[in-house]
Structure formats: structure tokens, C-alpha cells
Amino acid sequence: MKSFAHFLLILLLAYVAGMVLPWWSVALVAFLVTLLMPLSPGKSFFSAFMGIFVLWMILAFYMDVRNDHLLANRMSEMILKVRSAPLMGVVGSFIGGLVAGFAASSAAFIRAAKKPA
């Protein structure tokens, strides 16, 4: 249950932060949420990864449908050499998830290092 709250808080705060801050604000959000809600490094990585992955997939799908798949198809042809708009969304979401996951696990390792032995 704590992991789900962690996931949901990261998802919501990253959405709000993304409205006014650059794309890398997902790392700040994941780091700060993990500092405030301690989880193990593995659980924090997975929770932050899934939170940002789901958020960015939803946003990519929404933007892709609004422009009739034009931009995503052209980008995927240029970058991936395949015409696949959904694959472009998955690749972008995976990268964002990795950034958030590593930030969250860094915060979890910092919390673990501060605990007295």
C-alpha cells in the first residue's frame, strides 16, 4: 500500500511540476518523494519508474492523438528507422522512467546511509 501511495504521489506531483518546470523535474519529484516516504531502494526504483512511465505514456498518447500521429510517426522514422508512433511513446516513457527510478533509488540509498548502525 505504501508503494502505491508513493507511485501515485510521484505521478501527480510530476504532472504538476511538468507544467512549469523542464522535463527533468521528474527526477526532483521522485527524489524528494522518496526522501519523505522511505522505501527500499528496489521498491522506490520500481515505484518511481512505473509512476513516470505511466504518466508519460498517457501524455504521449494524448498528444499523439491530438495531432493525428504525424509528429510521432516522423520522429520514429528518423530516430528508430521504423514508422511506429506507439513505439516512440514507449521509448520516451522508458527513458523518463529510468531517470525517475534512478533518482528515487538514490534518495533511498541516501536515507539508508544516514541510519545509525
Side-chain angles (χ1 to χ4, degrees), residues 35-78:
L35 279 180
L36 297 175
M37 295 178 66
L39 288 175
S40 70
K43 286 182 181 178
S44 65
F45 178 88
F46 184 72
S47 178
F49 178 88
M50 288 308 296
I52 299 305
F53 185 84
V54 168
L55 174 66
W56 281 18
M57 278 299 291
I58 291 169
L59 292 174
F61 177 74
Y62 176 71
M63 287 185 241
D64 193 38
V65 168
R66 284 183 49 201
N67 72 12
D68 201 28
H69 313 291
L70 294 176
L71 181 62
N73 280 329
R74 289 183 182 168
M75 292 291 293
S76 68
E77 284 177 1
M78 260 183 17

Side-chain angles (χ1 to χ4, degrees), residues 21-37:
L21 296 172
W23 69 270
W24 48 265
S25 63
V26 297
L28 296 174
V29 168
F31 187 85
L32 294 174
V33 168
T34 305
L35 279 180
L36 297 175
M37 295 178 66

Side-chain angles (χ1 to χ4, degrees), residues 6 13 15-17 20 34 37 40 49 53 60 64 72-74 76 79 86-87 90 95-96 107-108 110:
H6 190 260
L13 290 177
Y15 178 72
V16 172
V20 293
T34 305
M37 295 178 66
S40 70
F49 178 88
F53 185 84
D64 193 38
N73 280 329
R74 289 183 182 168
S76 68
I79 296 171
L87 184 59
V90 169
I95 292 170
I110 288 173

